C-alpha cells in the first residue's frame, strides 16, 4: 500500500490521458462520468498514512457507487453512512455490517427500522445520534446497542455556508448538553464514542478554524470520560484544490494540527474523509453542441447540465474545464452552459478554454465527489453512464439511463 500512499497529492485535468478520455467519450457517449478507482485507492492510502494511529473511514455520501465502495474496502477502509440506502449499498459492496457507522440526521422511520434490524444481527454496528428524540425512537424499537453522540461544536468551517455543519443547529447535540445526554445514553445504551463534523472542503488555510472545533470535541471527550470511550470521531471535511492555482491540502501539517487540537485521549481518533478520497478521481466528459456569439461573451453549449453536476448551481462551485479534443488551440474566454432552461445551468463564466468547436469533447474536473450523488432527472433527462478505470481497463459500472427508465415508475404504477 506504500506506493499508493506515495502517489501525487493532487491530480489536475492535464494529468489525465486525454486521448483515452476522448476514446471513452466516443465509445460510451456523453455526458459520461469517469471514475479512476486506482486514484480512489491511492487517495485513501495517502490520507490513512498521514494518520497511522487513527481509524479512517470513508464518508459514503461523497460517492456511493458500488465500484467506489469496493475500491475503498480493497484499500483497507471502512465506511461511514448517513442513510439506510448507504448502509445497504455498503453491505452490497462487501462491507462487514459490524464495522459500519451510521450517522443519523433527523432519520426517517424507515432508516431507524433498517438500522436497528441490522444491528440485531450485527451488534458491532454503531449508531450516531444528533438528537435526544433519536434515542427515544431507538428505545421504542428495542435497541440498546452501540451509540455515539454527535456534538455541535458551535464552529462551522468549509468552502460554503451550506456545508458549515459545525455551527448549524440541525446537526448534533448542543455543546453544553452533551454531558447530561451522555449520562442518559449510559443508562440504556452502550456509549462508545463522540462525533463531530465542522464543515466540508477545508484546505490548509482553513485548518485553524477547523481545529478550533476539533479542540472543543477533545475537551468534551475528557469531560465525559475519554477513558470510557472507544473513539472520538472528528469527521471529515478535508478538501481538494478545485482551482488550478490552489495548493493541495498539506497532510503532514493537517495531521499535526489535528493531533494537537484533539489533545491527549485514551480513546482512538476517527476521521471520515469523503471528498478527499474521490473528488479528483472523477470527471465528466461532455460534447459541445452549440457555439453562439453574444454581445458580451461566446456561449458554448454542452450536453451536460445541472442535472448532471449541480454543484456550480447549488454552491457556486468552480470546476476546472479542459477541451480534450484540442487542448493546444488558442484559449478564448467563454461561457459554458447546458441544455436546462434556467440561468443557473452554467458551468463557467468568462473561462479561458482552448477554443471550443461543435463536436469537441470537454472535460469537467473534480467531479468524483457529490457529482453523480446529486445528479437528477430534471427536464426528464436520463442520468449519464459511469465508467470505471482500474488496472489499465475500463468498464461500465452504471449504464446510461433511457427515457423508459425516466418514466418506468409511473408506468409501473399504472399511469
Amino acid at each position: 500500500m506504500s506506493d499508493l500512499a506515495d502517489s501525487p497529492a493532487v491530480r489536475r485535468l492535464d494529468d489525465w490521458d486525454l486521448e483515452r478520455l476522448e476514446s471513452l467519450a466516443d465509445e460510451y457517449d456523453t455526458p459520461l462520468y469517469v471514475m479512476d478507482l486506482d486514484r480512489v485507492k491511492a487517495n485513501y492510502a495517502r490520507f490513512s498514512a498521514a494518520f497511522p494511529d487513527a481509524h479512517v473511514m470513508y464518508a459514503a455520501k461523497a460517492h456511493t457507487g458500488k465500484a467506489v465502495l469496493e475500491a475503498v474496502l480493497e484499500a483497507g477502509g471502512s465506511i461511514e453512512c448517513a442513510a439506510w440506502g448507504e448502509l445497504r449499498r455498503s453491505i452490497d459492496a462487501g462491507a462487514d455490517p459490524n464495522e459500519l457507522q451510521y450517522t443519523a440526521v433527523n432519520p426517517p422511520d424507515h432508516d431507524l427500522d433498517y438500522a436497528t434490524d441490522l444491528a440485531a444481527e450485527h451488534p458491532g454496528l454503531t449508531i450516531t445520534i444528533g438528537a435526544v428524540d433519536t434515542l427515544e425512537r431507538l428505545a421504542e424499537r428495542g435497541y440498546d446497542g452501540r451509540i455515539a453522540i454527535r456534538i455541535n461544536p458551535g464552529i462551522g468551517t468549509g468552502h460554503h455556508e451550506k456545508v458549515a455543519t459545525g455551527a448549524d443547529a440541525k446537526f448534533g447535540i448542543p455543546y453544553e448538553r452533551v454531558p447530561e445526554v451522555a449520562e442518559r445514553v449510559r443508562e440504556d445504551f452502550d456509549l462508545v464514542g463522540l462525533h463531530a463534523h465542522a464543515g466540508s472542503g477545508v484546505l490548509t488555510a482553513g485548518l485553524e478554524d477547523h481545529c478550533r472545533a476539533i479542540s472543543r470535541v477533545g475537551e468534551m471527550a475528557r469531560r465525559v470520560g475519554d477513558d470510557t470511550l472507544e473513539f472520538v470521531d472528528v469527521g471529515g471535511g478535508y478538501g481538494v484544490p478545485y482551482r488550478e492555482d490552489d495548493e493541495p491540502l498539506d497532510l503532514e501539517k493537517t495531521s499535526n494540527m489535528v493531533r494537537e487540537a484533539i489533545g491527549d485521549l485514551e480513546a482512538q481518533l476517527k476521521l471520515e474523509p469523503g471528498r478527499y478520497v474521490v473528488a479528483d478521481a472523477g470527471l465528466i466528459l461532455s460534447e459541445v453542441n452549440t457555439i453562439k456569439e453574444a454581445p458580451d461573451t461566446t456561449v458554448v453549449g454542452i450536453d451536460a447540465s445541472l442535472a448532471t453536476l449541480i454543484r456550480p448551481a447549488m454552491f457556486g462551485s468552480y470546476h476546472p474545464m479542459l477541451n480534450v479534443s484540442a487542448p493546444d488551440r488558442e484559449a478564448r474566454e467563454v461561457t459554458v452552459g447546458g441544455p436546462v432552461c434556467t440561468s443557473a445551468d452554467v458551468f463557467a463564466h468568462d473561462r479561458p478554454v482552448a477554443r471550443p468547436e461543435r463536436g469537441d469533447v470537454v472535460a469537467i474536473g473534480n467531479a468524483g465527489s457529490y457529482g453523480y450523488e446529486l445528479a437528477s432527472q430534471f427536464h426528464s433527462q436520463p442520468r449519464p453512464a459511469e465508467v470505471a478505470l482500474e488496472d489499465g481497463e475500463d468498464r461500465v459500472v452504471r449504464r446510461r439511463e433511457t427515457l423508459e427508465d425516466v418514466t418506468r415508475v409511473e408506468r409501473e404504477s399504472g399511469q
Side-chain angles (χ1 to χ4, degrees):
M1 193 65 70
S2 60
D3 57 331
L4 296 179
D6 293 339
S7 65
V10 60
R11 187 186 205 181
R12 312 289 187 183
L13 271 179
D14 288 340
D15 297 326
W16 290 75
D17 182 336
L18 302 190
E19 290 186 8
R20 187 177 190 192
L21 291 180
E22 191 162 31
S23 70
L24 291 173
D26 183 61
E27 181 175 358
Y28 298 110
D29 203 3
T30 58
L32 179 70
Y33 269 90
V34 180
M35 286 297 299
D36 185 340
L37 302 182
D38 295 321
R39 181 66 180 174
V40 170
K41 288 180 275 191
N43 286 344
Y44 178 86
R46 188 185 323 101
F47 191 94
S48 296
F51 293 90
D53 300 325
H55 181 179
V56 177
M57 301 177 292
Y58 167 64
K61 62 182 177 290
H63 192 300
T64 56
K66 184 178 182 183
V68 168
L69 297 177
E70 289 173 338
V72 169
L73 293 170
E74 184 181 334
S78 57
I79 301 174
E80 182 268 340
C81 304
W84 69 325
E86 293 177 10
L87 288 169
R88 169 64 184 273
R89 297 185 80 165
S90 297
I91 294 167
D92 287 349
D96 180 352
N98 286 298
E99 296 179 0
L100 293 176
Q101 186 167 313
Y102 164 52
T103 305
V105 180
N106 302 332
D109 284 342
H110 52 63
D111 271 56
L112 290 186
D113 290 342
Y114 186 87
T116 53
D117 287 347
L118 187 63
E121 296 184 21
H122 305 280
L125 175 76
T126 301
I127 298 179
T128 303
I129 61 104
V132 173
D133 266 8
T134 306
L135 280 180
E136 296 170 353
R137 294 166 68 201
L138 288 169
E140 290 169 0
R141 288 163 170 79
Y143 181 78
D144 60 1
R146 295 167 57 85
I147 291 287
I149 298 173
R150 181 166 185 168
I151 301 170
N152 185 313
I155 300 171
T157 60
H159 68 89
H160 193 280
E161 63 181 10
K162 292 180 180 178
V163 299
T165 55
D168 189 333
K170 175 181 175 180
F171 300 96
I173 303 291
Y175 190 79
E176 290 302 329
R177 289 201 60 200
V178 171
E180 101 185 47
V181 174
E183 289 307 308
R184 182 167 177 179
V185 170
R186 285 178 169 131
E187 290 176 3
D188 299 310
F189 305 88
D190 182 13
L191 178 61
V192 296
L194 298 182
H195 172 280
H197 179 77
S200 185
V202 176
L203 290 174
T204 308
L207 283 173
E208 188 172 332
D209 283 343
H210 187 74
C211 286
R212 283 198 301 118
I214 289 175
S215 178
R216 299 202 79 197
V217 178
E219 291 170 4
M220 183 56 69
R222 287 180 284 275
R223 281 178 63 180
V224 303
D226 63 290
D227 58 335
T228 67
L229 302 174
E230 282 185 22
F231 65 83
V232 177
D233 182 349
V234 297
Y238 303 99
V240 298
Y242 283 83
R243 294 182 180 272
E244 290 84 351
D245 56 353
D246 284 344
E247 291 297 319
L249 182 70
D250 185 332
L251 274 181
E252 182 178 359
K253 182 175 182 179
T254 300
S255 178
N256 291 337
M257 288 183 66
V258 167
R259 285 291 187 186
E260 182 177 354
I262 199 71
D264 292 332
L265 289 178
E266 294 291 328
Q268 184 177 44
L269 175 66
K270 274 191 177 185
L271 301 104
E272 304 170 2
R275 184 191 312 272
Y276 186 91
V277 176
V278 292
D280 73 358
L283 54 73
I284 297 167
L285 299 176
S286 183
E287 183 175 328
V288 175
N289 55 50
T290 302
I291 304 291
K292 181 171 66 174
E293 298 295 338
D296 298 322
T297 189
T298 297
V299 177
V300 176
I302 60 176
D303 59 7
S305 72
L306 62 79
T308 315
L309 179 70
I310 201 172
R311 293 191 72 255
M314 180 180 287
F315 302 119
S317 302
Y318 180 100
H319 283 263
M321 304 189 75
L322 179 69
N323 187 337
V324 172
S325 300
D328 296 326
R329 284 196 201 128
E330 182 180 357
R332 64 185 302 183
E333 291 189 350
V334 296
T335 294
V336 182
V340 166
C341 188
T342 169
S343 298
D345 186 27
V346 175
F347 293 102
H349 290 281
D350 302 322
R351 180 80 63 83
V353 178
R355 181 176 49 80
E357 296 180 357
R358 197 165 56 218
D360 285 350
V361 174
V362 173
I364 303 171
N366 278 349
S369 77
Y370 307 103
Y372 209 110
E373 288 304 300
L374 294 172
S376 73
Q377 294 176 339
F378 185 48
H379 267 5
S380 292
Q381 294 190 88
R383 280 173 290 208
E386 184 177 35
V387 169
L389 310 181
E390 188 173 27
D391 298 329
E393 303 293 330
D394 56 76
R395 68 183 193 276
V396 176
V397 292
R398 249 190 280 226
R399 68 166 175 82
R400 186 175 303 282
E401 288 184 341
T402 65
L403 283 177
E404 286 69 27
D405 292 321
V406 174
T407 60
R408 176 171 290 117
V409 292
E410 293 172 302
R411 289 183 284 108
E412 290 179 349
S413 67
Q415 294 294 313

